[in-house]
Amino acid sequence: AGAKQHAVRHDDCRTATAEDDRPLPEDSALTPAAPAATRDAPSEEKKPDDGDDETLRVGVLGGIGFPRPLSIEGMVKVKRTLGLGVEYSLMPKIAVSGVEATFNAIAADARYFPFKGAFFIGLRAGHQRMNATSTVTVASYSITESATAEATFINPRIGFLFTGKEGFTIGIDAGVQVPLSSSLTTTLPKNLPTQLQVDSSMSKVAGTFGNDVTPTVDLLKVGMLF
């Protein structure tokens, strides 16, 4: 009986050992790799180049347009939605209706990009100053009249300003400049018979370039936003 009990215990040990030596199921072998696959999944759904994480761009834009042909602007773009800038623009000396004039302006600029793309709604607000001269002949004498035309204005507009991944920026826009206040001062004596005619010419030139309601267009804006 003792030998028989010993044989039974020996068989039980061999059975337990055999069970321990059986290979684990394939699912158990793959279990440690599952967290790694889970960690990799988000990187496939969100790519670093999709632009959603863009929060701030800073740069400089140059432009050509009307009424001030040349401009340069420092700009900050926030979250692809809001652009804020300061612009200086100028016009080299021109001659119109016997009047030689130069003028410049400085303005604050805001752009709202409702779709986070290139399309924007914009508003400038600033001050421009024109210096003009005209020569008139009275009897046998030539007299040069100087004039200064100034205007404080707002300039609502719409347009497109596209910025690539590397920061290259190009755009175009159109709007209207509305003077909030304007003035024209001249140096020609009031009692001269040609005074009204000269002042009228200077007023017309000043009005064409911003002292009156004036259409505006930026034919080209180009620069870099980093």
Side-chain angles (χ1 to χ4, degrees):
K4 186 177 181 179
Q5 291 177 356
H6 178 74
V8 171
R9 286 197 299 270
H10 183 68
D11 290 340
D12 292 341
C13 289
R14 283 189 299 176
T15 301
T17 303
E19 291 177 353
D20 292 340
D21 290 342
R22 284 183 300 178
L24 294 173
E26 293 183 0
D27 292 342
S28 299
L30 295 177
T31 301
T38 303
R39 287 194 301 269
D40 292 340
S43 63
E44 296 177 359
E45 296 176 0
K46 184 177 181 180
K47 299 178 181 179
D49 294 335
D50 61 5
D52 290 340
D53 59 347
E54 178 185 307
T55 57
L56 186 69
R57 284 185 179 268
V58 180
V60 177
L61 304 176
I64 55 174
F66 178 85
R68 295 169 294 276
L70 304 176
S71 66
I72 185 168
E73 176 184 1
M75 180 180 173
V76 176
K77 190 174 182 182
V78 183
K79 291 187 178 296
R80 303 172 63 200
T81 302
L82 180 65
L84 300 173
V86 176
E87 180 187 82
Y88 175 77
S89 55
L90 60 90
M91 179 181 68
K93 183 179 289 187
I94 63 168
V96 180
S97 301
V99 177
E100 292 186 347
T102 62
F103 76 107
N104 57 68
I106 187 166
D109 194 5
R111 296 178 179 89
Y112 172 59
F113 300 83
F115 310 115
K116 296 187 177 183
F119 174 75
F120 72 87
I121 302 169
L123 179 68
R124 287 192 191 102
H127 183 84
Q128 76 172 26
R129 178 186 177 95
M130 172 183 286
N131 295 314
T133 59
S134 181
T135 301
V136 298
T137 301
V138 179
S140 58
Y141 298 96
S142 293
I143 300 175
T144 299
E145 179 185 15
S146 298
T148 300
E150 297 184 82
T152 300
F153 64 86
I154 57 173
N155 179 200
R157 65 201 199 284
I158 60 173
F160 295 88
L161 190 69
F162 172 78
T163 301
K165 292 180 181 179
E166 301 302 323
F168 178 74
T169 300
I170 187 169
I172 186 172
D173 63 70
V176 60
Q177 180 169 303
V178 181
L180 302 178
S181 64
S182 61
S183 64
L184 176 67
T185 58
T186 66
T187 60
L188 194 67
K190 299 295 182 182
N191 59 348
L192 291 179
T194 56
Q195 182 265 333
L196 291 177
Q197 179 181 351
V198 174
D199 280 5
S200 176
S201 296
M202 288 194 169
S203 179
K204 182 179 179 181
V205 171
T208 300
F209 292 99
N211 271 31
D212 296 334
V213 176
T214 306
T216 66
V217 59
D218 286 315
L219 296 174
L220 178 65
K221 281 281 190 180
V222 63
M224 292 292 294
L225 295 178
F226 301 98

